[in-house]
Amino acid sequence: MKKYLLFDNDGVLVETEEYYYKASKRALKEFFDVDVGFEQYMKLMTDGKGVWLAAPNATKEEIITARTQRDIYYQEYLKTEDLAITGIHEILKDLSKDCKMGIVTTSRRVDFEIIHKNRGITDFMDFVLCVEDYPRAKPYPDPYLKGLELFNAKKDEALVIEDSQRGLMSANNANIDCAIVHNEFTKTQDFSTAQFKIDKLSDLRSIL
């Protein structure tokens, strides 16, 4: 029985990944006249190298300007689009009866707070780790190792819940079991090293 659940945020607890892609795509087109395709975007994000490699001739200063505008676009989406996953509160309430839970995300804290304002999801969590809270982001092991440390948990007592290859790699590198929940946005990525694959978050109960 797993006692500790470490949830990714984007694509697992809220549907935000599509909008990060749209915001990045808009900024690349606007500043560099680069039309990044979905497959190229997913490869850059999976490798953890950053979407700005799609504009190889861009200067550091140009990238900073474009990134700032991308973040503005993304926050506009976060404030106006429907990010909810159906039944999420009931699922978390049920899981909280037997497990302690935390969120481990590569989101910036400012974006995370916009996403979760008045959403009630964090009420079920013992902690939230954002990208500012650990040395290296996914796919490095640091985020999930930090989560284990906060729980004072052993690796075999914990389960990571992810929807991306980069997140799975982070869990693998931390040597923590990982369950991949199906997400249409990331369904073409390689999840062959996952210990579990589930169609929806409510299926977690069956593997705990």
Side-chain angles (χ1 to χ4, degrees):
M1 176 71 182
K2 300 293 187 181
K3 300 178 182 178
Y4 305 97
L5 302 180
L6 297 168
F7 288 92
D8 177 44
N9 182 60
D10 301 282
V12 174
L13 299 175
V14 285
E15 295 288 12
T16 55
E17 291 179 324
E18 174 187 358
Y19 304 112
Y20 198 76
Y21 168 56
K22 287 183 175 180
S24 299
K25 186 178 177 71
R26 284 175 67 183
L28 279 164
K29 183 65 176 177
E30 178 179 340
F31 287 90
F32 307 117
D33 197 28
V34 170
D35 189 7
V36 63
F38 181 73
E39 290 185 4
Q40 181 186 10
Y41 170 83
M42 293 303 286
K43 185 178 189 311
L44 290 170
M45 297 302 285
T46 300
D47 292 343
K49 295 178 179 178
V51 71
W52 308 111
L53 285 182
N57 297 321
T59 67
K60 182 178 180 179
E61 291 74 18
E62 288 172 336
I63 290 173
I64 290 172
T65 301
R67 182 185 290 118
T68 299
Q69 186 59 51
R70 187 273 311 279
D71 293 343
I72 292 172
Y73 289 147
Y74 182 51
Q75 290 185 4
E76 288 174 357
Y77 288 131
L78 296 181
K79 293 173 182 177
T80 58
E81 298 293 338
D82 181 10
L83 312 177
I85 291 178
T86 302
I88 186 67
H89 294 89
E90 291 77 9
I91 294 167
L92 294 176
K93 183 178 180 180
D94 177 55
L95 293 171
S96 68
K97 296 174 183 176
D98 301 304
C99 299
K100 291 189 174 183
M101 301 185 292
I103 296 175
V104 181
T105 177
T106 53
S107 291
R108 299 183 307 156
R109 179 72 61 174
V110 62
D111 295 331
F112 185 90
E113 290 180 355
I114 292 172
I115 292 167
H116 285 278
K117 183 179 180 181
N118 300 323
R119 198 170 290 278
I121 289 175
T122 57
D123 295 344
F124 297 98
M125 303 296 165
D126 284 59
F127 59 81
V128 172
L129 292 175
C130 292
V131 71
E132 300 91 344
D133 298 323
Y134 41 78
R136 299 176 298 177
K138 304 171 188 179
Y140 289 100
D142 305 34
Y144 286 117
L145 291 177
K146 181 68 174 180
L148 277 186
E149 179 185 336
L150 291 177
F151 274 138
N152 193 26
K154 299 176 181 178
K155 293 181 178 181
D156 61 2
E157 296 176 319
L159 180 68
V160 167
I161 300 92
E162 273 283 355
D163 75 315
S164 74
Q165 185 178 343
R166 183 170 62 168
L168 171 60
M169 291 166 65
S170 178
N172 287 343
N173 288 332
N175 198 27
I176 306 171
D177 286 350
C178 183
I180 292 294
V181 60
H182 175 80
N183 187 314
E184 281 295 308
F185 193 80
T186 59
K187 65 180 182 181
T188 60
Q189 296 185 8
D190 181 6
F191 298 127
S192 58
T193 60
Q195 283 73 32
F196 307 98
K197 298 184 182 99
I198 54 178
D199 291 328
K200 53 188 183 301
L201 205 56
S202 59
D203 294 338
L204 264 181
R205 173 58 72 180
S206 66
I207 64 175
L208 289 177

Short mmCIF file of all heavy atoms in Angstrom, two decimals, residues 110-166:
data_model
loop_
_atom_site.label_atom_id
_atom_site.label_comp_id
_atom_site.label_asym_id
_atom_site.label_seq_id
_atom_site.Cartn_x
_atom_site.Cartn_y
_atom_site.Cartn_z
N VAL A 110 3.99 31.88 -9.46
CA VAL A 110 3.01 32.89 -9.83
C VAL A 110 1.92 32.30 -10.72
O VAL A 110 0.73 32.62 -10.56
CB VAL A 110 3.69 34.10 -10.52
CG1 VAL A 110 4.38 33.70 -11.82
CG2 VAL A 110 2.70 35.23 -10.75
N ASP A 111 2.29 31.41 -11.63
CA ASP A 111 1.30 30.76 -12.49
C ASP A 111 0.46 29.78 -11.69
O ASP A 111 -0.76 29.68 -11.89
CB ASP A 111 1.99 30.04 -13.66
CG ASP A 111 2.69 30.99 -14.60
OD1 ASP A 111 2.25 32.15 -14.72
OD2 ASP A 111 3.68 30.58 -15.22
N PHE A 112 1.12 29.03 -10.81
CA PHE A 112 0.41 28.05 -9.99
C PHE A 112 -0.69 28.73 -9.17
O PHE A 112 -1.80 28.21 -9.06
CB PHE A 112 1.38 27.32 -9.07
CG PHE A 112 0.75 26.22 -8.28
CD1 PHE A 112 0.70 24.93 -8.77
CD2 PHE A 112 0.19 26.46 -7.03
CE1 PHE A 112 0.11 23.90 -8.06
CE2 PHE A 112 -0.40 25.46 -6.30
CZ PHE A 112 -0.45 24.17 -6.82
N GLU A 113 -0.38 29.87 -8.60
CA GLU A 113 -1.36 30.56 -7.76
C GLU A 113 -2.53 31.09 -8.57
O GLU A 113 -3.68 31.10 -8.09
CB GLU A 113 -0.66 31.68 -6.99
CG GLU A 113 0.29 31.14 -5.92
CD GLU A 113 0.99 32.23 -5.14
OE1 GLU A 113 0.83 33.42 -5.49
OE2 GLU A 113 1.71 31.89 -4.18
N ILE A 114 -2.29 31.49 -9.82
CA ILE A 114 -3.39 31.88 -10.70
C ILE A 114 -4.26 30.67 -10.99
O ILE A 114 -5.50 30.74 -10.91
CB ILE A 114 -2.86 32.50 -12.01
CG1 ILE A 114 -2.19 33.84 -11.73
CG2 ILE A 114 -3.99 32.67 -13.02
CD1 ILE A 114 -1.46 34.43 -12.92
N ILE A 115 -3.64 29.57 -11.33
CA ILE A 115 -4.37 28.34 -11.67
C ILE A 115 -5.26 27.89 -10.51
O ILE A 115 -6.42 27.53 -10.72
CB ILE A 115 -3.39 27.20 -12.02
CG1 ILE A 115 -2.66 27.49 -13.34
CG2 ILE A 115 -4.10 25.86 -12.10
CD1 ILE A 115 -1.47 26.58 -13.59
N HIS A 116 -4.75 27.96 -9.30
CA HIS A 116 -5.44 27.33 -8.16
C HIS A 116 -6.22 28.31 -7.29
O HIS A 116 -6.74 27.91 -6.25
CB HIS A 116 -4.44 26.54 -7.33
CG HIS A 116 -4.03 25.26 -7.98
ND1 HIS A 116 -4.79 24.12 -7.90
CD2 HIS A 116 -2.97 24.96 -8.78
CE1 HIS A 116 -4.21 23.15 -8.60
NE2 HIS A 116 -3.11 23.64 -9.14
N LYS A 117 -6.33 29.54 -7.71
CA LYS A 117 -7.12 30.49 -6.95
C LYS A 117 -8.57 30.04 -6.87
O LYS A 117 -9.23 29.82 -7.87
CB LYS A 117 -7.05 31.88 -7.58
CG LYS A 117 -7.79 32.95 -6.80
CD LYS A 117 -7.65 34.31 -7.47
CE LYS A 117 -8.38 35.38 -6.68
NZ LYS A 117 -8.28 36.72 -7.33
N ASN A 118 -9.06 29.84 -5.65
CA ASN A 118 -10.46 29.44 -5.40
C ASN A 118 -10.83 28.10 -6.04
O ASN A 118 -12.01 27.83 -6.25
CB ASN A 118 -11.43 30.52 -5.89
CG ASN A 118 -11.22 31.85 -5.21
OD1 ASN A 118 -10.91 31.91 -4.03
ND2 ASN A 118 -11.35 32.94 -5.97
N ARG A 119 -9.83 27.25 -6.30
CA ARG A 119 -10.12 25.96 -6.94
C ARG A 119 -10.30 24.84 -5.92
O ARG A 119 -10.94 23.83 -6.20
CB ARG A 119 -9.00 25.62 -7.93
CG ARG A 119 -9.37 24.56 -8.95
CD ARG A 119 -8.32 24.45 -10.03
NE ARG A 119 -8.32 25.61 -10.91
CZ ARG A 119 -9.15 25.79 -11.93
NH1 ARG A 119 -10.04 24.86 -12.22
NH2 ARG A 119 -9.08 26.87 -12.67
N GLY A 120 -9.71 24.96 -4.73
CA GLY A 120 -9.92 23.99 -3.66
C GLY A 120 -9.07 22.75 -3.72
O GLY A 120 -9.12 21.92 -2.79
N ILE A 121 -8.27 22.59 -4.76
CA ILE A 121 -7.46 21.38 -4.89
C ILE A 121 -6.34 21.33 -3.86
O ILE A 121 -6.05 20.28 -3.27
CB ILE A 121 -6.89 21.28 -6.32
CG1 ILE A 121 -8.02 20.95 -7.31
CG2 ILE A 121 -5.77 20.24 -6.41
CD1 ILE A 121 -7.59 20.96 -8.77
N THR A 122 -5.71 22.46 -3.61
CA THR A 122 -4.59 22.48 -2.67
C THR A 122 -5.03 22.22 -1.23
O THR A 122 -4.18 21.93 -0.37
CB THR A 122 -3.83 23.82 -2.75
OG1 THR A 122 -4.74 24.90 -2.49
CG2 THR A 122 -3.20 24.00 -4.13
N ASP A 123 -6.31 22.30 -0.96
CA ASP A 123 -6.81 22.00 0.39
C ASP A 123 -6.52 20.56 0.79
O ASP A 123 -6.45 20.25 1.99
CB ASP A 123 -8.32 22.25 0.47
CG ASP A 123 -8.69 23.70 0.28
OD1 ASP A 123 -7.79 24.57 0.39
OD2 ASP A 123 -9.87 23.99 0.02
N PHE A 124 -6.36 19.69 -0.19
CA PHE A 124 -6.12 18.27 0.09
C PHE A 124 -4.63 17.95 0.21
O PHE A 124 -4.27 16.81 0.50
CB PHE A 124 -6.72 17.41 -1.03
CG PHE A 124 -8.21 17.52 -1.16
CD1 PHE A 124 -8.79 18.36 -2.09
CD2 PHE A 124 -9.04 16.77 -0.33
CE1 PHE A 124 -10.16 18.46 -2.21
CE2 PHE A 124 -10.42 16.85 -0.44
CZ PHE A 124 -10.98 17.71 -1.38
N MET A 125 -3.76 18.94 -0.03
CA MET A 125 -2.33 18.69 -0.14
C MET A 125 -1.57 19.12 1.11
O MET A 125 -1.89 20.13 1.73
CB MET A 125 -1.77 19.44 -1.36
CG MET A 125 -2.46 19.09 -2.67
SD MET A 125 -2.21 17.35 -3.12
CE MET A 125 -3.47 17.15 -4.41
N ASP A 126 -0.54 18.35 1.45
CA ASP A 126 0.34 18.72 2.56
C ASP A 126 1.32 19.81 2.16
O ASP A 126 1.76 20.58 3.01
CB ASP A 126 1.12 17.48 3.03
CG ASP A 126 0.26 16.55 3.87
OD1 ASP A 126 -0.76 16.05 3.38
OD2 ASP A 126 0.62 16.32 5.03
N PHE A 127 1.68 19.85 0.87
CA PHE A 127 2.61 20.86 0.40
C PHE A 127 2.50 21.00 -1.12
O PHE A 127 1.93 20.14 -1.79
CB PHE A 127 4.06 20.52 0.78
CG PHE A 127 4.55 19.20 0.24
CD1 PHE A 127 4.98 19.06 -1.06
CD2 PHE A 127 4.55 18.08 1.06
CE1 PHE A 127 5.42 17.84 -1.55
CE2 PHE A 127 5.00 16.85 0.58
CZ PHE A 127 5.42 16.74 -0.73
N VAL A 128 3.06 22.08 -1.61
CA VAL A 128 3.18 22.32 -3.05
C VAL A 128 4.63 22.72 -3.33
O VAL A 128 5.16 23.64 -2.70
CB VAL A 128 2.24 23.44 -3.53
CG1 VAL A 128 2.53 23.79 -4.99
CG2 VAL A 128 0.78 23.05 -3.35
N LEU A 129 5.27 22.01 -4.25
CA LEU A 129 6.61 22.37 -4.71
C LEU A 129 6.52 22.91 -6.13
O LEU A 129 6.04 22.22 -7.04
CB LEU A 129 7.54 21.16 -4.69
CG LEU A 129 7.91 20.60 -3.32
CD1 LEU A 129 8.74 19.32 -3.47
CD2 LEU A 129 8.68 21.63 -2.51
N CYS A 130 6.96 24.15 -6.33
CA CYS A 130 7.03 24.75 -7.65
C CYS A 130 8.48 24.80 -8.12
O CYS A 130 9.39 24.42 -7.38
CB CYS A 130 6.41 26.15 -7.63
SG CYS A 130 4.61 26.13 -7.36
N VAL A 131 8.70 25.28 -9.32
CA VAL A 131 10.03 25.20 -9.93
C VAL A 131 11.08 25.98 -9.13
O VAL A 131 12.28 25.66 -9.20
CB VAL A 131 9.98 25.68 -11.40
CG1 VAL A 131 9.77 27.19 -11.48
CG2 VAL A 131 11.20 25.22 -12.17
N GLU A 132 10.66 26.95 -8.35
CA GLU A 132 11.61 27.71 -7.54
C GLU A 132 12.08 26.95 -6.29
O GLU A 132 13.01 27.41 -5.61
CB GLU A 132 10.98 29.03 -7.08
CG GLU A 132 10.55 29.95 -8.21
CD GLU A 132 9.12 29.75 -8.66
OE1 GLU A 132 8.51 28.69 -8.32
OE2 GLU A 132 8.61 30.64 -9.36
N ASP A 133 11.48 25.81 -6.01
CA ASP A 133 11.68 25.15 -4.73
C ASP A 133 12.70 24.01 -4.73
O ASP A 133 12.87 23.34 -3.71
CB ASP A 133 10.34 24.60 -4.21
CG ASP A 133 9.33 25.71 -3.97
OD1 ASP A 133 9.74 26.79 -3.51
OD2 ASP A 133 8.13 25.49 -4.25
N TYR A 134 13.38 23.77 -5.85
CA TYR A 134 14.38 22.71 -5.92
C TYR A 134 15.45 23.11 -6.94
O TYR A 134 15.22 23.97 -7.79
CB TYR A 134 13.74 21.37 -6.28
CG TYR A 134 12.67 21.46 -7.35
CD1 TYR A 134 13.02 21.59 -8.69
CD2 TYR A 134 11.32 21.44 -7.01
CE1 TYR A 134 12.04 21.69 -9.66
CE2 TYR A 134 10.34 21.54 -7.98
CZ TYR A 134 10.71 21.67 -9.30
OH TYR A 134 9.76 21.78 -10.27
N PRO A 135 16.64 22.49 -6.87
CA PRO A 135 17.77 22.95 -7.70
C PRO A 135 17.57 22.74 -9.20
O PRO A 135 17.85 23.64 -9.99
CB PRO A 135 18.96 22.13 -7.19
CG PRO A 135 18.55 21.64 -5.84
CD PRO A 135 17.06 21.48 -5.88
N ARG A 136 17.10 21.55 -9.59
CA ARG A 136 16.98 21.23 -11.02
C ARG A 136 15.59 20.70 -11.30
O ARG A 136 15.04 19.91 -10.54
CB ARG A 136 18.03 20.17 -11.40
CG ARG A 136 19.47 20.59 -11.20
CD ARG A 136 20.43 19.46 -11.51
NE ARG A 136 20.22 18.31 -10.61
CZ ARG A 136 20.88 17.16 -10.68
NH1 ARG A 136 21.79 17.00 -11.62
NH2 ARG A 136 20.62 16.19 -9.83
N ALA A 137 15.03 21.12 -12.44
CA ALA A 137 13.66 20.75 -12.79
C ALA A 137 13.62 19.35 -13.43
O ALA A 137 14.66 18.76 -13.74
CB ALA A 137 13.07 21.78 -13.74
N LYS A 138 12.42 18.83 -13.60
CA LYS A 138 12.24 17.58 -14.32
C LYS A 138 12.87 17.75 -15.72
O LYS A 138 12.76 18.81 -16.30
CB LYS A 138 10.74 17.27 -14.47
CG LYS A 138 9.98 17.22 -13.16
CD LYS A 138 8.47 17.12 -13.39
CE LYS A 138 7.70 17.27 -12.10
NZ LYS A 138 6.24 17.21 -12.30
N PRO A 139 13.57 16.73 -16.23
CA PRO A 139 13.58 15.31 -15.86
C PRO A 139 14.59 14.91 -14.78
O PRO A 139 14.78 13.72 -14.55
CB PRO A 139 13.93 14.62 -17.18
CG PRO A 139 14.83 15.60 -17.87
CD PRO A 139 14.29 16.96 -17.51
N TYR A 140 15.25 15.87 -14.15
CA TYR A 140 16.14 15.52 -13.03
C TYR A 140 15.31 14.99 -11.86
O TYR A 140 14.11 15.28 -11.74
CB TYR A 140 16.95 16.74 -12.61
CG TYR A 140 18.01 17.14 -13.60
CD1 TYR A 140 17.80 18.18 -14.49
CD2 TYR A 140 19.22 16.45 -13.67
CE1 TYR A 140 18.77 18.56 -15.41
CE2 TYR A 140 20.21 16.81 -14.59
CZ TYR A 140 19.97 17.86 -15.45
OH TYR A 140 20.93 18.22 -16.37
N PRO A 141 15.92 14.24 -10.95
CA PRO A 141 15.18 13.65 -9.84
C PRO A 141 14.85 14.63 -8.72
O PRO A 141 14.01 14.32 -7.86
CB PRO A 141 16.13 12.56 -9.33
CG PRO A 141 17.50 13.08 -9.67
CD PRO A 141 17.33 13.78 -11.00
N ASP A 142 15.48 15.80 -8.73
CA ASP A 142 15.40 16.73 -7.60
C ASP A 142 13.97 17.02 -7.12
O ASP A 142 13.73 17.03 -5.90
CB ASP A 142 16.09 18.05 -7.95
CG ASP A 142 17.52 17.87 -8.40
OD1 ASP A 142 17.82 16.87 -9.06
OD2 ASP A 142 18.35 18.76 -8.11
N PRO A 143 13.01 17.30 -8.02
CA PRO A 143 11.67 17.65 -7.53
C PRO A 143 11.04 16.56 -6.69
O PRO A 143 10.49 16.84 -5.60
CB PRO A 143 10.89 17.89 -8.83
CG PRO A 143 11.92 18.23 -9.84
CD PRO A 143 13.11 17.41 -9.48
N TYR A 144 11.11 15.31 -7.16
CA TYR A 144 10.45 14.23 -6.42
C TYR A 144 11.25 13.79 -5.20
O TYR A 144 10.66 13.36 -4.20
CB TYR A 144 10.15 13.07 -7.36
CG TYR A 144 8.99 13.41 -8.27
CD1 TYR A 144 9.14 13.48 -9.64
CD2 TYR A 144 7.74 13.70 -7.73
CE1 TYR A 144 8.07 13.82 -10.46
CE2 TYR A 144 6.67 14.05 -8.53
CZ TYR A 144 6.85 14.11 -9.90
OH TYR A 144 5.79 14.47 -10.70
N LEU A 145 12.55 13.92 -5.25
CA LEU A 145 13.35 13.64 -4.05
C LEU A 145 13.04 14.67 -2.95
O LEU A 145 12.99 14.33 -1.77
CB LEU A 145 14.84 13.66 -4.39
CG LEU A 145 15.34 12.51 -5.27
CD1 LEU A 145 16.81 12.68 -5.59
CD2 LEU A 145 15.08 11.16 -4.61
N LYS A 146 12.81 15.91 -3.35
CA LYS A 146 12.42 16.95 -2.38
C LYS A 146 11.06 16.61 -1.77
O LYS A 146 10.85 16.79 -0.56
CB LYS A 146 12.36 18.31 -3.08
CG LYS A 146 11.98 19.46 -2.16
CD LYS A 146 13.06 19.76 -1.13
CE LYS A 146 12.73 21.00 -0.33
NZ LYS A 146 13.76 21.32 0.68
N GLY A 147 10.14 16.10 -2.60
CA GLY A 147 8.85 15.69 -2.08
C GLY A 147 8.96 14.57 -1.06
O GLY A 147 8.31 14.61 0.00
N LEU A 148 9.79 13.59 -1.34
CA LEU A 148 10.03 12.50 -0.38
C LEU A 148 10.59 13.05 0.93
O LEU A 148 10.19 12.62 2.02
CB LEU A 148 11.03 11.50 -0.96
CG LEU A 148 10.54 10.41 -1.90
CD1 LEU A 148 11.70 9.47 -2.22
CD2 LEU A 148 9.38 9.63 -1.32
N GLU A 149 11.51 13.98 0.80
CA GLU A 149 12.13 14.57 1.99
C GLU A 149 11.09 15.26 2.86
O GLU A 149 11.10 15.11 4.10
CB GLU A 149 13.20 15.56 1.55
CG GLU A 149 13.91 16.26 2.68
CD GLU A 149 14.88 17.32 2.19
OE1 GLU A 149 15.33 17.23 1.04
OE2 GLU A 149 15.16 18.25 2.96
N LEU A 150 10.18 16.00 2.24
CA LEU A 150 9.17 16.72 3.01
C LEU A 150 8.22 15.76 3.72
O LEU A 150 7.72 16.05 4.82
CB LEU A 150 8.38 17.66 2.10
CG LEU A 150 9.16 18.87 1.56
CD1 LEU A 150 8.29 19.69 0.62
CD2 LEU A 150 9.67 19.74 2.70
N PHE A 151 7.96 14.62 3.11
CA PHE A 151 7.11 13.60 3.74
C PHE A 151 7.89 12.73 4.72
O PHE A 151 7.29 11.96 5.47
CB PHE A 151 6.50 12.69 2.67
CG PHE A 151 5.22 13.21 2.08
CD1 PHE A 151 4.99 13.11 0.71
CD2 PHE A 151 4.24 13.77 2.87
CE1 PHE A 151 3.80 13.56 0.16
CE2 PHE A 151 3.05 14.22 2.32
CZ PHE A 151 2.84 14.12 0.97
N ASN A 152 9.23 12.81 4.67
CA ASN A 152 10.08 11.90 5.44
C ASN A 152 9.70 10.45 5.11
O ASN A 152 9.54 9.60 6.00
CB ASN A 152 9.94 12.16 6.94
CG ASN A 152 11.03 11.46 7.75
OD1 ASN A 152 12.12 11.20 7.25
ND2 ASN A 152 10.72 11.14 9.00
N ALA A 153 9.56 10.21 3.81
CA ALA A 153 9.06 8.92 3.33
C ALA A 153 10.15 8.11 2.64
O ALA A 153 11.12 8.67 2.12
CB ALA A 153 7.91 9.15 2.34
N LYS A 154 9.98 6.80 2.64
CA LYS A 154 10.83 5.91 1.87
C LYS A 154 10.32 5.86 0.43
O LYS A 154 9.13 6.04 0.16
CB LYS A 154 10.83 4.51 2.47
CG LYS A 154 11.36 4.47 3.90
CD LYS A 154 11.23 3.05 4.46
CE LYS A 154 11.72 2.99 5.90
NZ LYS A 154 11.56 1.64 6.49
N LYS A 155 11.23 5.56 -0.49
CA LYS A 155 10.85 5.57 -1.91
C LYS A 155 9.75 4.57 -2.22
O LYS A 155 8.87 4.84 -3.03
CB LYS A 155 12.09 5.30 -2.77
CG LYS A 155 13.11 6.41 -2.73
CD LYS A 155 14.30 6.12 -3.61
CE LYS A 155 15.29 7.30 -3.57
NZ LYS A 155 16.47 7.07 -4.45
N ASP A 156 9.79 3.40 -1.58
CA ASP A 156 8.79 2.38 -1.90
C ASP A 156 7.43 2.67 -1.27
O ASP A 156 6.46 1.96 -1.52
CB ASP A 156 9.27 0.99 -1.51
CG ASP A 156 9.57 0.85 -0.02
OD1 ASP A 156 9.36 1.82 0.73
OD2 ASP A 156 10.00 -0.24 0.39
N GLU A 157 7.35 3.72 -0.43
CA GLU A 157 6.08 4.11 0.17
C GLU A 157 5.33 5.13 -0.68
O GLU A 157 4.17 5.44 -0.40
CB GLU A 157 6.31 4.72 1.55
CG GLU A 157 6.89 3.76 2.57
CD GLU A 157 7.17 4.44 3.89
OE1 GLU A 157 7.67 5.58 3.90
OE2 GLU A 157 6.88 3.83 4.95
N ALA A 158 6.00 5.64 -1.72
CA ALA A 158 5.44 6.76 -2.48
C ALA A 158 5.09 6.34 -3.91
O ALA A 158 5.63 5.39 -4.46
CB ALA A 158 6.43 7.91 -2.52
N LEU A 159 4.17 7.10 -4.50
CA LEU A 159 3.79 6.93 -5.89
C LEU A 159 3.69 8.29 -6.54
O LEU A 159 3.04 9.20 -6.01
CB LEU A 159 2.44 6.20 -6.01
CG LEU A 159 1.92 5.97 -7.44
CD1 LEU A 159 2.81 4.95 -8.16
CD2 LEU A 159 0.48 5.48 -7.41
N VAL A 160 4.36 8.45 -7.68
CA VAL A 160 4.27 9.66 -8.49
C VAL A 160 3.14 9.50 -9.50
O VAL A 160 2.97 8.43 -10.09
CB VAL A 160 5.61 9.92 -9.22
CG1 VAL A 160 5.45 10.97 -10.29
CG2 VAL A 160 6.69 10.31 -8.22
N ILE A 161 2.37 10.56 -9.69
CA ILE A 161 1.30 10.55 -10.70
C ILE A 161 1.64 11.61 -11.73
O ILE A 161 1.70 12.79 -11.42
CB ILE A 161 -0.09 10.80 -10.09
CG1 ILE A 161 -0.41 9.72 -9.05
CG2 ILE A 161 -1.15 10.79 -11.18
CD1 ILE A 161 -0.02 10.07 -7.63
N GLU A 162 1.86 11.17 -12.96
CA GLU A 162 2.34 12.04 -14.04
C GLU A 162 1.52 11.83 -15.32
O GLU A 162 0.76 10.88 -15.43
CB GLU A 162 3.81 11.75 -14.33
CG GLU A 162 4.81 12.50 -13.48
CD GLU A 162 4.97 13.95 -13.90
OE1 GLU A 162 4.38 14.35 -14.94
OE2 GLU A 162 5.69 14.69 -13.21
N ASP A 163 1.74 12.73 -16.27
CA ASP A 163 1.12 12.57 -17.58
C ASP A 163 2.10 12.86 -18.70
O ASP A 163 1.73 12.83 -19.88
CB ASP A 163 -0.09 13.50 -17.73
CG ASP A 163 0.33 14.94 -17.96
OD1 ASP A 163 1.24 15.41 -17.25
OD2 ASP A 163 -0.24 15.58 -18.86
N SER A 164 3.38 13.13 -18.36
CA SER A 164 4.36 13.49 -19.40
C SER A 164 5.59 12.60 -19.29
O SER A 164 5.92 12.09 -18.21
CB SER A 164 4.78 14.95 -19.27
OG SER A 164 5.63 15.14 -18.15
N GLN A 165 6.28 12.45 -20.41
CA GLN A 165 7.51 11.66 -20.44
C GLN A 165 8.58 12.30 -19.57
O GLN A 165 9.32 11.61 -18.87
CB GLN A 165 8.01 11.52 -21.88
CG GLN A 165 9.21 10.60 -22.03
CD GLN A 165 9.63 10.44 -23.47
OE1 GLN A 165 8.88 10.75 -24.39
NE2 GLN A 165 10.85 9.98 -23.68
N ARG A 166 8.66 13.62 -19.61
CA ARG A 166 9.65 14.32 -18.79
C ARG A 166 9.40 14.07 -17.30
O ARG A 166 10.33 13.85 -16.53
CB ARG A 166 9.64 15.82 -19.09
CG ARG A 166 10.70 16.59 -18.34
CD ARG A 166 10.85 18.01 -18.82
NE ARG A 166 9.66 18.80 -18.64
CZ ARG A 166 9.62 20.12 -18.78
NH1 ARG A 166 10.72 20.77 -19.12
NH2 ARG A 166 8.51 20.79 -18.59
#
